[in-house]
Amino acid sequence: MQFHRCLVFSYLETRWRIVATTTTLAFAGELLGFDQFIPPFVTARGRDILIGVNYASGAAGIRDESGRQLGDRISLNEQLQNHAATFNRSIQLLGTKQAATNYLNKCLYYVSLGTNDYINNYFVPGYYKTSRLYTSDQYAKVLIDQYSQQIKDSFHLFIN
């Protein structure tokens, strides 16, 4: 399969981890022949979205409240809404929903998430009640179930 020269990143990691992730992604992008970083969603304009969009948000998590104590962040739900907006803009640029779907199906997606739901939620009992509501195994299942639903909901964007 041949990929388009577009890359969609989502970082849902702690601030210190973004540096390591970015380095890893920069290295992978270089190996794949990408010669530039992709623009963040908030500044991507016009045909820029066809080379890729970065939905990154340090401190965000699968759960909307994760990382709230650190300030503004864009949760996975919001990032998926941003991806839906990108999809709609792609339809306008490429002419049809099918053309946009075909194009985005050939893009490389990178999603790194979950640590903030622990570091900036479960392990902060003074700010969040999750560790009092769930055992660690129960919380892992809650995260897996929520993430699975988020991915299913996002997938329906392309088939409806």
Side-chain angles (χ1 to χ4, degrees), residues 62-63 114 117-118 139-148:
I62 295 168
R63 296 176 60 90
D117 292 294
Y118 285 95
Y139 190 59
K141 182 172 178 0
V142 165
L143 291 176
I144 290 166
D145 290 347
Q146 183 171 344
Y147 179 60
S148 296

Side-chain angles (χ1 to χ4, degrees), residues 1-6 32 34 101-109:
M1 171 181 272
Q2 184 175 354
F3 288 105
H4 290 294
R5 292 183 60 85
C6 60
L32 292 169
F34 294 96
T101 299
N102 291 343
Y103 190 86
L104 292 177
N105 281 340
K106 293 180 181 175
C107 290
L108 178 61
Y109 286 75

Side-chain angles (χ1 to χ4, degrees), residues 45-78:
R45 299 287 179 257
R47 297 189 72 80
D48 286 350
I49 66 168
L50 298 179
I51 63 164
V53 178
N54 185 338
Y55 301 101
S57 182
I62 295 168
R63 296 176 60 90
D64 290 338
E65 75 272 8
S66 292
R68 182 180 7 197
Q69 84 280 11
L70 299 173
D72 290 339
R73 75 267 173 267
I74 302 168
S75 70
L76 179 58
N77 281 323
E78 292 171 287

Side-chain angles (χ1 to χ4, degrees), residues 12 16 19 25 55 89 119 140 152 158:
L12 296 171
W16 62 268
V19 174
L25 289 174
Y55 301 101
R89 287 166 51 193
I119 294 171
K152 288 174 190 172
F158 294 101

Side-chain angles (χ1 to χ4, degrees), residues 5 21 27-28 62-63 68 76 82 105 110-111 127 136 154:
R5 292 183 60 85
T21 304
F27 179 70
I62 295 168
R63 296 176 60 90
R68 182 180 7 197
L76 179 58
N82 290 343
N105 281 340
Y110 176 85
V111 179
Y127 200 85
S136 59
S154 182

